[in-house]
Amino acid sequence: MGNDLLTYIQRMELMAFFAGFPLIYAIVYAIAGVKHKIAGSFSNRLTSSLSFAYALTGTLFLGLLLKDLYPDYSAKNIAFQFQTPYLILWGISSVLCWIPFFHKKKLGCLLHSLVFFFLLLKDLFMSFNGSIDKDMIQNDMKLYTTSLFINTGTFLFILIFRLMIPRLKTKEKSAGHRL
């Protein structure tokens, strides 16, 4: 039971970080509409912030993993902690969105996060068959809500940061001309 419980906890952590991103992605593209292809537009900044926000979420997840491993970073402890290494590695791979090649592939972020969203859908489907307890579905819904908050927060943080950069650059230029 110990390994099953640890596996379930790791799965919950992954869902809490990544399962809500597809809804955020859909909302941003619904708001941006067709105008997201116009360079320099606000809609373009909205859609281009998605992959950075997803990378930030992945970085926060990686930070959680490293915090859980502290102070013993030995191979034995890592092997014990990661009962579902393929899902953990899939979650960690979201930090690749910081790289410009992957950043430009916004659809890749959506496809990456759908793996964790499908875990939620699988649990919902299993609940209709009666093979999963109602409490587990309630936990999944709480995790999904948490994931929506995490992904909304990272998206807003990145969007505000990206909107402030041009303003800071213009202030620096205007301050330089005054001297």
Side-chain angles (χ1 to χ4, degrees), residues 8 12 15 120 123-124 127 132-146:
Y8 179 67
M12 289 187 336
M15 286 174 54
L120 175 70
D123 286 350
L124 287 173
S127 73
I132 289 184
D133 190 17
K134 181 182 173 184
D135 292 333
M136 189 170 174
I137 296 302
Q138 288 177 343
N139 284 340
D140 285 354
M141 290 300 110
K142 288 177 186 176
L143 290 171
Y144 186 67
T145 304
T146 302

Side-chain angles (χ1 to χ4, degrees), residues 14-95:
L14 287 162
M15 286 174 54
F17 276 91
F18 300 110
F21 184 77
L23 182 61
I24 302 301
Y25 185 93
I27 290 171
V28 167
Y29 267 91
I31 291 170
V34 180
K35 296 179 182 179
H36 73 274
K37 295 183 180 179
I38 301 171
S41 68
F42 180 72
S43 298
N44 185 327
R45 287 182 191 232
L46 278 176
T47 57
S48 65
S49 296
L50 280 169
S51 55
F52 285 128
Y54 192 65
L56 180 59
T57 302
T59 305
L60 293 173
F61 175 70
L62 181 60
L64 175 73
L65 291 178
L66 293 174
K67 182 191 91 50
D68 289 345
L69 288 174
Y70 182 79
D72 184 13
Y73 293 110
S74 66
K76 183 178 178 181
N77 188 31
I78 292 171
F80 175 75
Q81 291 290 330
F82 297 155
Q83 299 296 319
T84 55
Y86 52 92
L87 283 176
I88 299 287
L89 290 175
W90 188 254
I92 292 172
S93 68
S94 64
V95 299

